[in-house]
Amino acid sequence: MGILEKISEIEREIARTQKNKATEYHLGLLKAKLAKYRAQLLEPSKSAANKGEGFDVMKSGDARVALIGFPSVGKSTFLSLMTSTASEAASYEFTTLTCIPGVIEYKGANIQLLDLPGIIEGAAQGKGRGRQVIAVARTSDVVIMMLDATKGEVQRSLLEKELESVGIRLNKDKPNIYFKPKKGGGISFNSTVPLTQCSEKLVQLILHEYKMFNAEVLFREDCSPDDFIDVIVGNRVYMPCLYVYNKIDQISMEEVDRLARQPNSVVISCGMKLNLDYLLEMLWEYLALTCIYTKKRGERPDFADAIILRKGASVEHVCHRIHRTLVSQFKYALVWGTSTKYSPQRVGLTHNMEHEDVIQVVKK
């Protein structure tokens, strides 16, 4: 029996098993087996070296956004509208066959946008270049899931399932579980909160399935068996996702309103160029980028050339971006902006910068 048959058999078993107190251990074990088989499936076979057109695109700019969706939902049209790159768009499916990069220039930042070929059902198993598409998506900072507003919720649930099965967790935080394999001493299990979904026995059964008999486990929040399996496997990617519903000019206003009110969702029309500016605002928010401006002594701040950093970046990060030797010569910095109590404020390397702050670095 091949891995694909084993996976589908376990999925059928999970679907027909009733969820209650008596079956939770059985379900936990099945989920652990499923995660194991899926991991094996994603390992590239050594014999089949993939020849053909290059798929990986070098990371550039200040952030990377992957455009994922089924064929013919408007991804290439969106790329052509947002960037100066022209991606071929046509009314038939699979117009785009490789990864096409473009750059969005917004608020002084260069955001790399990748137009990926359309995903089909079964992409996680490698159908229709699905594995390569998903591998590129894993390296992104944000996923834009392009959906056809005329097709309802079907596309969204299918795509989420495909991404979930390859270890991409959308709009989820990393489970707060401390896990450390040991050489001996058995399994020590503790929790700082009451657990309703996982028990010590279930944790032990899941660990035994992974041939782990000595480990330290501490639950700091009420997590499910799936979350615990994710922590054991350790290669999961947690990333923000924007659900973008295209072709809203073809549905009723009531439906547009319903879709727009869903969490993490934006409604647009590439054909009529509707709501694209709001989508850019939302994308900036999800990328959590900040612009920092620099200033020389006795001169006005340079507002033409901003340093783009992640939210929560410190003065040290700014120094590294200006020049790698600056930290060793750093004496103090003067900062103007919302991160200070008064302007200018004299700060050290650990001071956290905020959006549109101005900094002047003083060397020793």
Side-chain angles (χ1 to χ4, degrees):
M1 190 189 282
I3 293 178
L4 281 174
E5 288 84 33
K6 286 177 182 172
I7 286 174
S8 52
E9 196 176 286
I10 291 171
E11 282 175 340
R12 282 198 298 273
E13 175 77 11
I14 289 172
R16 66 170 175 259
T17 305
Q18 282 188 328
K19 285 181 184 167
N20 55 44
K21 220 46 183 160
T23 60
E24 63 176 16
Y25 299 122
H26 179 58
L27 280 170
L29 272 176
L30 287 174
K31 283 173 181 173
K33 279 181 181 161
L34 189 61
K36 245 170 85 174
Y37 288 137
R38 277 182 178 158
Q40 284 173 28
L41 189 69
L42 288 171
E43 285 167 13
S45 56
K46 291 179 179 68
S47 58
N50 242 341
K51 290 182 175 68
E53 206 171 342
F55 206 88
D56 281 341
V57 174
M58 203 174 107
K59 209 166 185 176
S60 70
D62 302 299
R64 185 182 237 192
V65 176
L67 209 49
I68 279 184
F70 280 105
S72 292
V73 290
K75 298 188 297 301
S76 299
T77 314
F78 177 72
L79 182 86
S80 304
L81 280 173
M82 293 306 217
T83 70
S84 54
T85 310
S87 182
E88 194 185 338
S91 56
Y92 54 86
E93 296 192 342
F94 298 108
T95 320
T96 307
L97 295 171
T98 185
C99 180
I100 298 170
V103 176
I104 301 173
E105 290 175 7
Y106 186 67
K107 289 189 180 178
N110 289 332
I111 301 163
Q112 188 183 38
L113 183 67
L114 301 180
D115 177 18
L116 298 170
I119 282 185
I120 55 171
E121 217 177 327
Q125 278 82 45
K127 287 185 190 171
R129 302 203 83 174
R131 263 189 228 175
Q132 289 128 304
V133 172
I134 288 164
V136 173
R138 282 175 74 94
T139 64
S140 309
D141 300 303
V142 168
V143 166
I144 288 184
M145 194 182 281
M146 191 71 94
L147 303 159
D148 191 332
T150 60
K151 302 234 172 111
E153 300 296 306
V154 186
Q155 288 190 342
R156 178 169 165 171
S157 55
L158 284 171
L159 279 172
E160 281 176 341
K161 191 182 166 194
E162 292 296 333
L163 295 177
E164 189 90 10
S165 64
V166 292
I168 296 176
R169 305 286 178 259
L170 302 175
N171 298 326
K172 277 186 186 174
D173 292 326
K174 206 172 178 181
N176 196 351
I177 300 172
Y178 172 77
F179 170 71
K180 188 183 177 186
K182 295 189 298 184
K183 294 263 168 61
I187 293 167
S188 84
F189 175 84
N190 271 307
S191 67
T192 57
V193 290
L195 300 180
T196 58
Q197 305 171 73
C198 242
S199 66
E200 187 172 353
K201 186 184 169 187
L202 183 52
V203 164
Q204 285 177 349
L205 282 169
I206 291 169
L207 284 171
H208 290 175
E209 181 60 39
Y210 280 92
K211 305 281 188 289
M212 291 181 182
F213 303 98
N214 303 293
E216 219 173 297
V217 181
L218 172 65
F219 275 67
R220 295 196 184 101
E221 62 181 3
D222 187 14
C223 294
S224 66
D226 295 314
D227 293 333
F228 181 57
I229 291 165
D230 285 352
V231 171
I232 297 172
V233 176
N235 65 350
R236 304 303 189 224
V237 180
Y238 298 85
M239 61 170 66
C241 172
L242 257 178
Y243 301 103
V244 178
Y245 291 91
N246 188 19
K247 306 181 187 177
I248 54 164
D249 49 311
Q250 297 175 24
I251 56 173
S252 66
M253 276 307 293
E254 290 78 13
E255 183 65 6
V256 171
D257 188 53
R258 189 187 70 79
L259 292 173
R261 287 177 190 278
Q262 290 186 355
N264 312 308
S265 299
V266 179
V267 291
I268 63 161
S269 169
C270 290
M272 297 182 77
K273 298 182 182 173
L274 297 174
N275 214 23
L276 296 175
D277 49 350
Y278 176 66
L279 172 55
L280 273 179
E281 275 177 46
M282 287 289 284
L283 186 58
W284 179 266
E285 209 175 290
Y286 274 61
L287 285 167
L289 297 174
T290 52
C291 294
I292 312 293
Y293 301 107
T294 53
K295 176 187 177 306
K296 288 180 181 171
R297 183 179 285 177
E299 292 181 23
R300 292 179 68 80
D302 181 9
F303 290 120
D305 188 20
I307 294 173
I308 309 292
L309 294 164
R310 284 296 154 102
K311 209 169 262 184
S314 64
V315 172
E316 189 173 352
H317 292 113
V318 178
C319 292
H320 280 305
R321 186 60 76 86
I322 295 168
H323 198 275
R324 62 179 184 277
T325 60
L326 192 56
V327 172
S328 57
Q329 303 169 326
F330 180 86
K331 188 177 181 186
Y332 65 88
L334 293 173
V335 175
W336 292 257
T338 53
S339 68
T340 58
K341 289 175 184 168
Y342 45 88
S343 292
Q345 186 176 328
R346 185 171 162 160
V347 297
L349 284 171
T350 54
H351 176 78
N352 282 353
M353 304 292 286
E354 284 183 13
H355 187 48
E356 294 185 337
D357 277 359
V358 174
I359 185 169
Q360 178 189 318
V361 178
V362 179
K363 295 199 276 189
K364 287 174 187 168

